[in-house]
Amino acid sequence: MVLLQARFLVSYMLPPLIMVDLIDSFSLFNLSFIAPILCLAVALLALHRFITRPSHKVFLLDFTCYKPPVAQAVTKEEALDIFHRCYKIANEEAAEFLRKNIHKSGLGDSTYFPEPLLKDPPDQSMEGARRESELAIFGAVDKLLVKTKVNCKDIGILVVNCCLFNVTPSLSSMIVNKYKLRDSIASYSLSGMGCSAGLVAIGLAKQLLQVISLL
C-alpha cells in the first residue's frame, strides 16, 4: 500500500516538473531570439536618425577687412608719441613700460591709427569714437555685401564685437538702421571684453546659426 502511494506520488509530480522546464526553456529561447532583434532595431533607428538629421556645420563663406587711408598710417615712434599725448605720461618708468609693450605688441611702421587721435591735441570724445566706428564698420560691411551679393533682408543674425568702445545706441543697432535690416533680426553687441573677444563673437555666431532657423 505504501509502495503504490509512492509510485502514484512520483507519477503525479513528474508532469508539472516537465512543464516548468519546458516553459523556462521557451522563455530563454524567446529572450535569446528577441534581444538581438531589439538591439538591431535600435541601431537601425539611430542610424536612420543620424543620416536624415539636418547638418549643423557652419562654414565661413567670405570676409572683408577695412583698410583706412594711407594718411592714417604711423610709425612705432609716432604711435608712442600719440600714446604719450593721449595719456599724458610723465613718469619715466611708465613711459619705458609703454615703450616695451609697443615694441613687443607687433605694431609696425605702417600701423593705422584712428583719425581723431592724429589731431593735436588728440580728440578722445564720444563723437570722434563713434565716427571712427562708423568708418571702420560700414567700410567693411559695404565691401562684404558687394563680394557676397547678399540681400540685406536675408540677414537673420548680426553679431558685432568692439574690444573697448561701448555706446548707446549700440553698434549693432547702428548697422541695423544703416542697412535697413529686417525687424526680426537677432542682433548682439559685444563690447569691453578685449581683442580676444573676436573669437567669442565668432563662436556666438556659430551657435546661433546652429539653433536659430532663418526661415
Side-chain angles (χ1 to χ4, degrees):
M1 189 68 179
V2 175
L3 181 60
L4 291 175
Q5 289 179 352
R7 287 179 178 175
F8 177 77
L9 180 61
V10 170
S11 63
Y12 178 77
M13 293 295 294
L14 187 57
L17 289 175
I18 295 175
M19 289 295 293
V20 170
D21 290 341
L22 290 175
I23 293 174
D24 291 341
S25 300
F26 184 74
S27 300
L28 291 174
F29 174 76
N30 282 344
L31 289 176
S32 62
F33 181 73
I34 294 175
I37 294 179
L38 289 177
C39 293
L40 181 61
V42 171
L44 291 175
L45 182 62
L47 180 62
H48 177 267
R49 187 172 182 82
F50 177 79
I51 295 175
T52 58
R53 71 174 182 175
S55 175
H56 293 292
K57 294 181 179 180
V58 177
F59 298 93
L60 175 64
L61 297 182
D62 214 330
F63 71 95
T64 57
C65 297
Y66 170 72
K67 186 176 182 179
V70 180
Q72 294 180 223
V74 300
T75 64
K76 286 187 287 188
E77 293 303 322
E78 289 173 335
L80 183 61
D81 179 64
I82 292 172
F83 281 122
H84 274 285
R85 288 188 285 113
C86 285
Y87 301 108
K88 298 179 175 61
I89 300 175
N91 189 327
E92 184 59 32
E93 183 179 354
E96 181 62 24
F97 177 76
L98 178 61
R99 187 178 297 106
K100 288 181 179 179
N101 280 337
I102 288 179
H103 284 282
K104 292 180 179 180
S105 64
L107 296 180
D109 287 329
S110 296
T111 299
Y112 294 92
F113 260 63
E115 184 181 5
L117 296 184
L118 298 177
K119 297 179 180 179
D120 192 13
D123 180 10
Q124 302 184 66
S125 64
M126 186 72 71
E127 291 78 10
R130 178 177 278 279
R131 186 165 58 253
E132 177 64 23
S133 299
E134 291 176 352
L135 287 174
I137 294 174
F138 295 160
V141 174
D142 287 341
K143 291 171 61 178
L144 186 63
L145 292 176
V146 171
K147 287 177 66 175
T148 60
K149 296 180 175 57
V150 172
N151 189 336
C152 292
K153 294 298 182 182
D154 294 333
I155 299 175
I157 297 173
L158 173 64
V159 179
V160 181
N161 170 61
C162 183
C163 61
L164 292 176
F165 187 49
N166 190 1
V167 66
T168 303
S170 65
L171 297 178
S172 60
S173 65
M174 180 179 72
I175 296 176
V176 171
N177 293 327
K178 165 72 175 179
Y179 296 97
K180 302 295 187 290
L181 303 183
R182 63 191 194 188
D183 296 336
S184 60
I185 188 171
S187 64
Y188 299 83
S189 187
L190 310 180
S191 300
M193 295 193 295
C195 298
S196 61
L199 297 176
V200 177
I202 293 174
L204 174 60
K206 175 185 176 181
Q207 294 175 16
L208 290 172
L209 287 170
Q210 289 175 332
V211 300
I212 295 181
S213 173
L214 301 181
L215 300 179

